[in-house]
Amino acid sequence: MLMKLGPVTFQVWPFNATGYTHNHETPYAEKPGVGPRPPLEWVGDGAETWTIQARLFPAKFGGLDDLQKLFQARASGKPQYLVRGDGKPMGWVAIERVSEKSSYLDPKGVGQVIDVDIDVKRTGKPSNGSFFSIMSGGLSSGATG
């Protein structure tokens, strides 16, 4: 396993995570004053985000079902648990965006290579009722990617 995001496990195949970026922010309030640079006041911890890059080869290895699960997890609006491949828990995240780019389309219009970017942001853990639903795989959004 390379990484797990909610219901989707990224492995070498069928859904290969090829890389990720991890960003941490700290916002500051600028205090007007006399002098060349105004002092900055730390106002708390900011956003923590990840962008996961992945690639599918549907004709050779499949993976379209996992892509659909990812769309459903995003559409559910529920936090998802992120775990790195070495087992390190990265915590609860909200899936903000999933974008796909298909190339080498087959006669049915399905890409032979599909690159996927997934943007997630750290969030608080879900309520107890939602936690059970998420961990048991229940995505009750009614949306279909």
Side-chain angles (χ1 to χ4, degrees):
M1 174 180 87
L2 301 171
M3 185 174 281
K4 182 165 178 60
L5 174 60
V8 177
T9 300
F10 298 94
Q11 303 180 65
V12 174
W13 65 273
F15 209 146
N16 184 11
T18 59
Y20 70 88
T21 57
H22 186 188
N23 299 302
H24 303 262
E25 292 181 17
T26 298
Y28 291 89
E30 189 172 301
K31 301 284 191 165
V34 179
R37 294 179 196 230
L40 300 177
E41 179 182 347
W42 183 68
V43 293
D45 205 12
E48 184 177 358
T49 61
W50 287 263
T51 297
I52 303 165
Q53 296 90 28
R55 179 170 282 169
L56 303 172
F57 300 94
K60 293 188 184 221
F61 304 119
L64 290 178
D65 290 341
D66 283 331
L67 185 58
Q68 188 63 35
K69 287 179 195 174
L70 192 59
F71 290 146
Q72 290 172 341
R74 183 209 48 82
S76 77
K78 295 179 181 176
Q80 303 296 319
Y81 205 68
L82 181 63
V83 179
R84 202 169 58 194
D86 62 356
K88 179 177 173 151
M90 306 308 279
W92 290 98
V93 298
I95 302 174
E96 293 190 304
R97 186 178 70 101
V98 178
S99 65
E100 65 175 293
K101 179 182 175 189
S102 297
S103 56
Y104 306 105
L105 302 183
D106 71 7
K108 295 180 181 178
V110 177
Q112 299 305 293
V113 178
I114 302 175
D115 291 308
V116 181
D117 288 338
I118 306 140
D119 293 330
V120 301
K121 184 182 282 188
R122 181 174 303 283
T123 188
K125 67 181 181 176
S127 67
N128 289 338
S130 292
F131 176 81
F132 178 75
S133 172
I134 292 165
M135 297 312 281
S136 65
L139 296 173
S140 59
S141 71
T144 59

